[in-house]
């Protein structure tokens, strides 16, 4: 029996069974659905993209996977080289893993050992309120959403602050000599409620991290590859460690990467074996994942995806700006994300089935109805999603 995620198995409704998928569409036995959430935000190229499928098949004809312990291969070397060229600044050192959550764990482990290797004891992590960084244990600690992690309330060594510069400055003043890193979802906090904040907060964070030699970590698992309207938020403010996942492989295979700058890497590069990073996911650098990631980045660049995202944002504003209802607290739009937050989550009960019957797959959570569409979506398809959202509130 399948144990499904984020569900009370005793009371959950029957999930929709997908028989096929292509472009932005999911197909059940009786319905054709626009996927408005890109399968948890990763399917930026849509489904059954012929070039991505071919990249996987071509690599599978050679081999599907070999471990990186004592071995290497061309796809992982090419992807590492591409990311070194593609990412801003001196984010040059790629540590691969098999999921975003694990990649976050790796980033936190790097930050702690960065200090340990230099003979400094800095046990604290600074993080944001309403943060979500994954469901593994350290990722849960730096997260701050009891709706996901209420069963694991004990949090040691983490300080959470709101996205306010005054709170940021106060935290650094109080804890700076104990902090090993500050980890954020930059500009857009995803599973914590699609919360959006200003770049000025991150610019000030960079200044304070520089002043006190605290590592700045950007968790761009959800925000990377254009979701905020920026290619990466790291293009605007440069972190010391960048975490990518989800769209890295276009959603075709689970894979992630933790990318460190020279300062971080140099703290591990030593004649002392104990300074090595002792971490090694079995499927890190998986050849199929690297092959499809390389092809996905090629398509992202070649097909002007940033232009597509700008157009998505323009249509989103045109269709949703000014839409109101007494049940709605706020409508927020950033890049390829639109969120309708209601006052009471009960106002969204039944919306998923309502949308299904109108040809849209949408999965609201808590108080949030949202879209994070594949970038290949056409205007009429995007408008259909927003029409269904608005129809839910207009139905009476």
């Amino acid at each position: 029996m399948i144990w499904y995620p984020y569900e009370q198995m005793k009371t959950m409704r029957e999930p929709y069974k997908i028989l096929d998928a292509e472009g932005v569409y999911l197909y059940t036995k009786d319905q054709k659905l626009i996927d408005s959430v890109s399968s948890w935000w990763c399917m930026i190229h849509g489904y059954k993209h012929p070039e991505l499928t071919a990249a996987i098949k071509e690599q599978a004809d050679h081999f599907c996977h070999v471990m990186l312990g004592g071995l290497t291969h061309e796809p992982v070397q090419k992807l590492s080289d591409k990311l070194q060229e593609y990412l801003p600044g001196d984010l040059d050192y790629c540590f691969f893993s098999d999921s975003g959550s694990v990649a976050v764990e790796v980033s936190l482990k790097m930050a702690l050992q960065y200090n340990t290797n230099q003979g400094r004891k800095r046990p604290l992590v600074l993080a944001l309120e309403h943060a979500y960084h994954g469901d593994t244990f350290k990722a849960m600690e730096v997260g701050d959403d009891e709706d996901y992690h209420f069963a694991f309330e004990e949090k040691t060594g983490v300080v959470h602050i709101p996205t306010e510069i005054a709170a940021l400055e106060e935290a650094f003043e109080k804890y700076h000599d104990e902090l090993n890193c500050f980890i954020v979802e930059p500009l857009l906090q995803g599973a914590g409620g699609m919360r959006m904040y200003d770049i000025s907060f991150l610019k000030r964070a960079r200044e304070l991290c520089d002043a006190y030699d605290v590592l700045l970590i950007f968790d761009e698992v959800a925000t990377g590859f254009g979701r905020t309207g920026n290619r990466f938020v790291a293009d605007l403010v440069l972190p010391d460690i960048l975490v990518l996942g989800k769209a890295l492989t276009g959603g075709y295979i689970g894979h992630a990467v933790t990318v460190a700058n020279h300062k971080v890497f140099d703290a591990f590069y030593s004649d002392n074996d104990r300074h090595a990073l002792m971490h090694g996911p079995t499927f890190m650098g998986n050849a199929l994942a690297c092959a499809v990631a390389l092809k996905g980045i090629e398509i992202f660049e070649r097909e002007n995806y940033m232009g597509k995202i700008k157009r998505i944002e323009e249509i989103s504003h045109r269709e949703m700006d000014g839409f109101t209802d007494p049940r709605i607290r706020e409508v927020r739009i950033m890049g390829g994300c639109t969120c309708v937050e209601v006052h009471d989550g009960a106002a969204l009960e039944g919306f998923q089935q309502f949308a299904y019957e109108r040809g849209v797959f949408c999965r609201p959570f808590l108080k949030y109805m949202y879209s994070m569409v594949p970038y290949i979506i056409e205007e009429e398809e995007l408008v259909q999603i927003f029409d269904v959202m608005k129809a839910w509130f207009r139905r009476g």
Side-chain angles (χ1 to χ4, degrees), residues 80-310:
S80 182
D81 289 345
K82 181 60 182 178
L83 289 171
Q84 182 175 355
E85 167 203 321
Y86 195 57
L87 295 175
D90 65 341
L91 290 166
D92 290 343
Y93 296 97
C94 297
F95 191 98
F96 294 99
S97 54
D98 42 10
S99 74
S101 182
V102 173
V104 167
E105 297 276 346
V106 170
S107 74
L108 296 168
K109 196 170 180 177
M110 282 180 179
L112 182 60
Q113 192 175 342
Y114 167 83
N115 286 276
T116 301
N117 283 358
Q118 298 177 84
R120 300 189 306 196
K121 187 175 182 180
R122 288 193 170 188
L124 290 186
V125 174
L126 187 63
L128 296 180
E129 293 177 358
H130 309 292
Y132 177 88
H133 295 286
D135 293 331
T136 52
F137 267 78
K138 195 64 182 178
M140 285 194 299
E141 275 195 350
V142 296
D144 182 48
D145 197 319
E146 64 178 15
D147 292 297
Y148 295 95
H149 305 141
F150 62 88
F152 307 93
E153 291 183 350
E154 185 64 29
K155 294 179 184 287
T156 58
V158 182
V159 176
H160 289 97
I161 61 169
T163 53
E164 300 167 2
I165 290 178
L168 174 69
E169 293 174 338
E170 182 181 350
F172 269 88
E173 182 177 352
K174 185 174 181 180
Y175 300 110
H176 62 85
D177 58 349
E178 299 177 74
L179 294 175
N180 63 68
C181 70
F182 180 28
I183 184 169
V184 300
E185 299 161 274
L187 295 187
L188 173 63
Q189 295 180 273
M194 306 300 167
R195 298 168 187 269
M196 302 169 186
Y197 61 95
D198 191 73
I199 191 67
S200 60
F201 179 86
L202 297 176
K203 290 180 177 178
R204 184 61 178 140
R206 180 69 273 175
E207 293 172 352
L208 290 166
C209 286
D210 286 341
Y212 295 110
D213 196 12
V214 174
L215 297 182
L216 181 59
I217 302 174
F218 279 7
D219 174 358
E220 292 217 53
V221 170
T223 62
F225 294 96
R227 189 57 70 180
T228 67
N230 306 285
R231 198 183 61 133
F232 304 97
V233 183
D235 289 330
L236 306 181
V237 175
L238 189 64
D240 299 292
I241 300 174
L242 176 65
V243 184
L244 300 174
K246 291 191 183 292
L248 174 67
T249 62
Y252 278 63
I253 300 179
H255 208 222
V257 64
T258 307
V259 189
N261 67 8
H262 288 240
K263 179 175 76 170
V264 173
F265 180 82
D266 288 348
F268 292 80
Y269 195 70
S270 168
D271 293 323
N272 186 342
D273 289 346
R274 292 181 66 83
H275 286 179
L277 179 63
M278 300 302 289
H279 201 92
T282 299
F283 295 103
M284 69 181 296
N286 173 264
L288 298 179
C290 291
V292 76
L294 279 163
K295 182 57 68 173
I297 294 171
E298 176 190 323
I299 294 167
F300 191 98
E301 293 180 293
R302 185 186 73 216
E303 301 297 329
N304 186 22
Y305 271 41
M306 293 309 301
K308 294 179 187 295
I309 295 161
K310 182 179 180 182

Side-chain angles (χ1 to χ4, degrees), residues 375-393:
Y375 300 150
I376 62 165
I377 197 166
E378 297 291 342
E379 179 172 350
E380 60 269 23
E381 295 162 339
L382 184 57
V383 170
Q384 183 178 341
I385 292 169
F386 295 139
D387 282 349
V388 169
M389 288 180 170
K390 290 184 282 191
W392 171 255
F393 293 100

